[in-house]
Amino acid sequence: MTAFSVNEFYQRNRRVVIWAILFGLLWLLRDFFGLVFLSFVLAIIAMPLAEFGERRLRLPHWLALTLVYALFLVVLASFVRFVVPSVAFEANRMIDNLPETELRLLEVKNRLVGQYPTLRQPLSGYLVSALSGDKAAAVEQRLAGERTRLSLTEEEVVAAMESGPPPDGALAEYFGRRDQLYLNALVDEQFQKVRDNAPAVINMLYRGTATTLLALLFSFLILIDIRRIKRGIALLKNSRVGDFYEEAASPVVRFGVLMGHAIEAQATIALVNTVLTLGGLLLLGIPLVALLSVIVFVCSFIPVLGVFISTTPILLVALNAGGPALSLAAVGMIVGIHAIEAYLLNPLIYGRHLKLNPVLTLIILYVAYHAFGLWGMLLGVPVARYFIHDVLGVPFHDRPATAAERDDDPVAVPGLALGTMPVATLAAQFVADWAFLR
């Protein structure tokens, strides 16, 4: 029986050992993923701008890079200086307009119930179900006093609620008071939730700001000394960790290039999303169009959470400018735009930049989000693209299959070969694929 040899085990399983160690290190450093990823994104954005300054303006590398990061700081400071106060002003304005907003909501509800009496009970039931048990019990106690004051019995109230014609006299006054109490309780409860969550939100914003500033600093320091860093990394090839360098250097570089393409795709999606939102704001007549468009563009780079961050100021401005009707129209506009983004723009643009089929891209985004959440949305498509073509070795198809090739392949799915096609062709391809899979 031969003795166990660590060196022999390593030589036979070198690739597995190296990648196990690398993934273990990544797991230990998982708390720094946000900082590393943001630094990478800023570096990807800054490098082309700095190279433009070097080539076209004949600037030294350090000066071009310094100007780019000065521009980043100006944009960040302007965002904090102008956007945050505007959102705070709209929030305060909404709070001041709450009594008027509640009256508008009650008028809308009464108008709906007058036209469709069968909606009275479902709407009232929704207001009750939206409240916590304690709040609902407190409102019911006050309503008992209202019934006593108006000389009404609970049976009369239930009968009036279930009957078709709208109530009048004491019953009409009771139902108006009932709706007002429930609506006030619902608004108070929601504002209490906001106040309870405010410290956590402030802490999240503080950590996000600190992470952004650190990412700006780290990416600047890396890019300002990028040539020396490259030479230093190349020296690892002849060091004691040369095996790690030879095994991991090329895959890491290829994955970095893929992430760069993914960021380009996200920038394209952000631009299209902003243009669509700008058109919707102009169509609905919502003010502060320029400010809201800037917020939408910046927040489009934040998967999932960015939707809620950019929607909040739009709804506040719409509610203050046109009341609940305009805010509901804004919600419909935002839902429509993000449906287009999720089911059309993301698959098409990501698929074109990363050379993946749009239907496959949509499936990857869906599965990655539900399996890994935010990081799944960020890294799901480039990781899947890397495993499909770099690890598994699935070849690219630079042209659609001919009719003869499709006839020879009985399991060929229409449109799997995307290659480099214009957007109109990609759109037609996506529709054909979707219809086929349905």
Side-chain angles (χ1 to χ4, degrees), residues 70-311:
L71 177 63
F72 285 172
L73 290 174
V74 169
V75 170
L76 182 62
S78 300
F79 190 83
V80 174
R81 169 65 180 84
F82 296 106
V83 173
V84 175
S86 298
V87 174
F89 172 76
E90 293 296 334
N92 290 329
R93 186 180 169 192
M94 184 198 70
I95 294 173
D96 294 336
N97 292 339
L98 268 181
E100 182 181 352
T101 303
E102 290 180 2
L103 288 176
R104 289 182 181 178
L105 289 174
L106 290 174
E107 290 175 1
V108 171
K109 186 257 183 187
N110 292 332
R111 194 180 306 120
L112 283 174
V113 170
Q115 295 177 354
Y116 309 100
T118 55
L119 291 179
R120 181 185 296 116
Q121 190 167 358
L123 289 176
S124 300
Y126 169 76
L127 289 176
V128 175
S129 64
L131 290 174
S132 62
D134 295 339
K135 285 282 186 180
V139 173
E140 284 297 332
Q141 187 175 0
R142 296 183 64 180
L143 287 175
E146 290 293 324
R147 289 195 295 271
T148 303
R149 183 178 66 85
L150 296 172
S151 302
L152 295 172
T153 63
E154 190 170 351
E155 290 75 12
E156 291 176 326
V157 172
V158 173
M161 186 176 294
E162 295 177 351
S163 63
D168 54 5
L171 283 171
E173 182 180 352
Y174 171 79
F175 281 119
R177 181 60 177 163
R178 182 178 187 272
D179 293 339
Q180 185 178 8
L181 287 175
Y182 273 119
L183 189 59
N184 287 337
L186 181 61
V187 172
D188 290 341
E189 188 173 59
Q190 298 306 314
F191 270 98
Q192 184 60 44
K193 290 181 180 179
V194 171
R195 285 190 290 268
D196 293 340
N197 293 325
V201 173
I202 293 173
N203 183 47
M204 183 185 68
L205 292 175
Y206 169 76
R207 293 176 60 185
T209 304
T211 301
T212 302
L213 293 175
L214 282 175
L216 281 169
L217 176 62
F218 289 159
S219 60
F220 175 76
L221 293 177
I222 290 171
L223 292 180
I224 201 73
D225 206 20
I226 187 66
R227 295 181 179 89
R228 186 182 302 176
I229 292 174
K230 286 181 178 178
R231 291 195 298 269
I233 292 176
L235 294 176
L236 294 175
K237 185 176 182 180
N238 300 318
S239 68
R240 294 181 178 178
V241 292
D243 290 346
F244 285 80
Y245 178 88
E246 291 181 356
E247 180 65 35
S250 180
V252 169
V253 170
R254 290 199 302 270
F255 184 73
V257 172
L258 280 177
M259 284 302 304
H261 289 313
I263 293 169
E264 292 175 0
Q266 188 61 43
T268 306
I269 292 170
L271 183 60
V272 176
N273 189 17
T274 303
V275 172
L276 292 176
T277 305
L278 175 63
L281 294 174
L282 293 174
L283 186 64
L284 295 176
I286 298 176
L288 300 177
V289 173
L291 175 64
L292 294 176
S293 298
V294 171
I295 295 175
V296 169
F297 180 77
V298 173
C299 293
S300 294
F301 289 91
I302 308 173
V304 184
L305 191 61
V307 176
F308 301 99
I309 297 175
S310 62
T311 300

